Amino acid sequence: MTSHSISADLRCVFNGRDQLGETPIWCPRSRRIWWIDIEQPQLHAYDERTGQHEVFDFRDRASFLGSLALHRQGGFLIALDTTLYRFDPADGTLDKIVEIEPASAGTRLNDGRCDHQGRFWVGTMDAAIEKPLGSLYCVEPDGTARRYFGDIIVSNSIATSPDDSTLYVSDTRRYKLWAFDLDARTAEISGQRVFVDYETLAPGRPDGACVDAEGYVWNAVYAGSRVVRYSPQGEVDRVIHLPTTNPTCVCFGGDDLGTLYISTATKAIAPEIFANEPWSGALLSIRPGVRGLPEPMLSLIHISEPTRQEA
């Protein structure tokens, strides 16, 4: 299908000038949009009905807040540095789930998303954004963190198809978005293939992604000023052109799941460009004419000694 721009009705939801805004998540329980600023590190919530904005600050606990997901038992799963926690915004409590990698590894947790079986897929990355120190993991409902493969510089674009038969993962610094065959029952992956090669689609590289109700993949193109919708075969379906250099992630939300939210970043934008981008670092939205699926939630049973294991 020929690509086309659908950016005419793009709007700014909230402009906090985030340094590295990421991972917007629509929470149906609170009817609010939530997102993170990775390097501050902060968790944000915004209610479009009332205009209420709330910030949860983790600077006294961590250097990075890398991931965010809904927790079925209430609250959120958040990734602080190399460890996953359950966070309850009502009282501010943090309960440790599992340390994915030791702090001495020189890595941190980055993008992650739940599949429809209640598992959490998450990647690590080189904290210095230089070496292939990162890996892909899956956290099972019993708290076990299973490692699949390494050699990742910056993990991103983690998402699954509506039937959990396909897993999407990218390495932002390698400019590759991959697709894997996924066994929804066993969480085994196979058949790695290049879904989109961004080396042939300059400018920009793959960042956060989500999948809509039709099974199409929406990918934020960091340093590329656009969000792209791809067919399940990896063909460009449509393009949203943005007045911001660094879109970072996308999700569907709103009561009808018909709003696409787009997080953005101010990081690494030259001052002369930044001066002309008032929406850089803002949370944006658009009504693209398709709907998403309810955001999957982590289903975690009570655990006492979470462990890591190799695949």
Side-chain angles (χ1 to χ4, degrees):
M1 181 182 293
T2 303
S3 66
H4 58 283
S5 172
I6 56 171
S7 56
D9 62 343
L10 186 74
R11 55 186 293 269
C12 179
V13 177
F14 182 83
N15 196 347
R17 289 298 217 179
D18 295 334
Q19 182 172 324
L20 190 53
E22 266 281 7
T23 318
I25 294 285
W26 172 258
C27 175
R29 293 180 294 222
S30 64
R31 296 179 66 195
R32 296 198 287 179
I33 184 71
W34 298 71
W35 73 98
I36 61 178
D37 192 341
I38 289 179
E39 297 181 358
Q40 290 306 321
Q42 295 174 329
L43 171 62
H44 294 262
Y46 187 72
D47 188 331
E48 291 192 79
R49 298 165 299 165
T50 65
Q52 180 184 10
H53 174 238
E54 197 168 4
V55 182
F56 302 89
D57 199 303
F58 296 93
R59 281 177 289 187
D60 62 339
R61 295 295 302 264
S63 297
F64 302 98
L65 200 176
S67 302
L68 176 69
L70 300 177
H71 198 297
R72 191 171 298 280
Q73 282 71 45
F76 296 87
L77 175 147
I78 63 172
L80 297 178
D81 293 338
T82 59
T83 302
L84 296 177
Y85 296 86
R86 177 186 173 191
F87 173 64
D88 186 346
D91 58 16
T93 56
L94 276 174
D95 296 316
K96 181 178 177 179
I97 297 173
V98 60
E99 181 185 66
I100 298 295
E101 290 179 347
S104 60
T107 59
R108 69 167 178 84
L109 289 160
N110 201 46
D111 192 39
R113 213 172 201 109
C114 292
D115 64 20
H116 301 88
Q117 315 304 312
R119 297 176 290 238
F120 184 63
W121 295 85
V122 65
T124 58
M125 59 173 278
D126 175 18
I129 322 178
E130 295 175 352
K131 301 176 182 178
L133 303 179
S135 300
L136 176 70
Y137 292 86
C138 180
V139 179
E140 296 282 356
D142 65 356
T144 300
R146 179 181 181 183
R147 180 181 181 273
Y148 284 80
F149 61 86
D151 198 37
I152 296 173
I153 303 173
V154 178
S155 57
N156 249 315
S157 310
I158 297 177
T160 60
S161 60
D163 62 357
D164 281 343
S165 65
T166 305
L167 172 71
Y168 300 97
V169 181
S170 76
D171 187 333
T172 297
R173 286 288 169 168
R174 295 190 193 279
Y175 292 78
K176 298 291 190 296
L177 172 55
W178 297 293
F180 297 81
D181 296 322
L182 171 62
D183 186 315
R185 183 180 62 84
T186 65
E188 297 292 339
I189 61 174
S190 60
Q192 180 179 3
R193 55 203 178 271
V194 175
F195 184 68
V196 181
D197 185 352
Y198 278 91
E199 287 188 304
T200 67
L201 298 172
R205 46 192 185 264
D207 208 325
C210 72
V211 178
D212 65 29
E214 299 174 5
Y216 283 60
V217 179
W218 295 78
N219 192 210
V221 186
Y222 188 88
S225 302
R226 66 194 188 279
V227 170
V228 183
R229 187 192 195 223
Y230 295 101
S231 74
Q233 293 74 42
E235 300 168 344
V236 175
D237 173 76
R238 64 185 75 174
V239 179
I240 300 174
H241 296 285
L242 303 172
T244 59
T245 298
N246 294 333
T248 56
C249 194
V250 287
C251 82
F252 279 90
D255 291 336
D256 65 351
L257 297 174
T259 298
L260 184 74
Y261 291 97
I262 306 165
S263 56
T264 69
T266 59
K267 184 177 181 179
I269 300 177
E272 63 273 17
I273 296 175
F274 180 73
N276 295 308
E277 292 190 1
W279 282 3
S280 283
L283 181 71
L284 310 177
S285 74
I286 194 169
R287 301 281 294 181
V290 298
R291 300 185 191 280
L293 295 167
E295 188 70 32
M297 299 184 183
L298 176 69
S299 296
L300 193 68
I301 61 176
H302 177 74
I303 53 174
S304 56
E305 291 294 334
T307 58
R308 292 190 304 271
Q309 67 179 39
E310 296 283 332

